[in-house]
Amino acid sequence: MEKFPEHFLWGAASSGPQLEGASDMHGKAPTVWDHWFQTEPERFYQQIGPQKVSDFYTNYKTDILTMRDIGFNSYRTSISWARLLPDGKNVNEKAVYFYRDVFTRLKDNGVKPIINLFHFDMPLYLHEKGGWENRDIVQDFGYYAKTAFDCFGDLVEDWVTFNEPIVPIEMGYLNDKHLPAIVDLKRAFQAGFHTILSHAQAVKVFKENYYKGKIGIILNLTPSYPRSADPVDLKAANWADILFNRSFLDPAVHGTFPVELKEFMQEEQIILNCRAEDFTLIKQHKIDFLGVNYYQPRRVQAGEKGVNGEVLQNYFTPYKWPNAKMNPHRGWEIYEKGLYDIALRIRDEYLNIPWYVAENGIGVEGEEQYLNMSGEVQDDYRIEFVENHLRWLQKGIKEGSNCYGYHVWTFIDNWSWLNEYKNRYGLIRLDLETMDRHKKKSAYWFAELAKENALPDKWVK
């Protein structure tokens, strides 16, 4: 049995808007998701909105005990900006009480809190002022970050500025899955720039005020594999990598943007509203650690100009690898070696910065079909998925990559953007009718994994 490094982090990730519920209680202001569900509920699968979701707000005391029981020594979630600062200026004391009790109980039960500041849940009042397109949000985010550090800095030592910051840009400005639900590449670039600038501003606030601990960012890194060794396919893969991985990874770790982005912007006539000091801010405020979310690879081939009028298709188009192993429930490719490739790339190209797997998991629709006579989900597919990824991660660590933890997505089945509870990801099954929680087979397996700090050679429950 080969051990993972000493003090390896084992746990799960989630987020405030997907787990907490109580979205209209105790002074919380509405977010874009509250607003969107109220105005267009038909866009949401099952018409389940963000009001209650998995009701962690009510059940957190027992949920934290369950985390302890299944071996977690760490857990990542996010603070709700709209709950902590309902009007953007004044602190909601009920939010402070709630989060302080959550973080205290996590620590008392041996679970390190890793706390993220932003997980797609823009307060509505900021969205109505232009959201990430409005430069004022940089200072707004810095103020929010300082408020969080002041309120919880004695309990939290691992801070994250953003989870998957490219997702609201891609889903909100290149398709209609997030608000503002428009297709406009130039506005996407401006919103993305203000996002990375807000990240740097939060890092600056953290460092200049000497809060204890460390601060990082979580990125969804998706290795881009070309269809072939043909130069046009290789070039396509490089463009996909620059736009969807390096556009946030390079400034966060190196403090600079890929030089090819300037070429892209000139070609597409994109002019950013920016100042010279913005790039100094980014250059001087780099992260202490990196979180990596990995679910599937991106396979691409040479672009085709003029296809559907979509600009990015000039640079690359999707390619379906005929040998791909697929998750039939989600339609996503399962490629475990991608995690190893990420590990070596961080080692070789990103200063071997300390990093951890911040999300990895498999979503399955209709998990009720896997219930046994005792009412326990027999999710052997989830155990196999995690185990195979961990074997590749372990290989990367043995070869020198500085990875210090693994978080599965997720702890309890939780709400997802527009898809609600269609795909279940949790180690714990949530009964939507009663809100009862039930351990799946994978929860017992994960407990054994964490206890031994090693993959079981053979595991029998």
Side-chain angles (χ1 to χ4, degrees), residues 53-126:
V53 295
S54 301
D55 204 18
F56 181 74
Y57 196 82
T58 302
N59 291 279
Y60 69 92
K61 295 175 184 176
T62 52
D63 285 345
I64 289 170
L65 295 179
T66 302
M67 292 180 196
R68 179 200 63 190
D69 292 345
I70 62 173
F72 286 10
N73 61 17
S74 52
Y75 175 67
R76 190 253 299 184
T77 188
S78 65
I79 294 172
S80 166
W81 192 347
R83 191 184 300 282
L84 184 62
L85 293 172
D87 62 359
K89 297 177 182 176
N90 297 296
V91 173
N92 176 4
E93 293 299 335
K94 290 183 179 178
V96 174
Y97 175 83
F98 167 66
Y99 287 121
R100 286 194 65 84
D101 200 36
V102 169
F103 304 156
T104 299
R105 288 174 184 273
L106 285 169
K107 288 167 67 76
D108 288 347
N109 284 282
V111 182
K112 174 199 282 283
I114 301 173
I115 302 305
N116 173 32
L117 294 172
F118 188 81
H119 198 123
F120 310 166
D121 54 338
M122 174 75 72
L124 181 60
Y125 59 83
L126 290 173

Side-chain angles (χ1 to χ4, degrees), residues 329-330 363-365 414 416 419-425:
H329 307 282
R330 193 73 172 86
V364 173
E365 184 178 3
N414 66 14
S416 290
N419 274 331
E420 286 69 65
Y421 288 90
K422 180 180 180 182
N423 298 298
R424 301 298 187 102
Y425 282 87

Side-chain angles (χ1 to χ4, degrees), residues 173-185:
Y173 291 90
L174 300 180
N175 67 48
D176 65 350
K177 304 303 182 189
H178 286 213
L179 289 175
I182 60 173
V183 177
D184 191 317
L185 187 63

Side-chain angles (χ1 to χ4, degrees), residues 222-225 294-299 321 332-335 338:
T222 308
S224 300
Y225 299 107
Y294 175 67
Y295 290 91
Q296 61 173 337
R298 175 179 280 108
R299 299 193 184 276
W321 185 34
W332 287 3
E333 180 181 345
I334 298 172
Y335 186 66

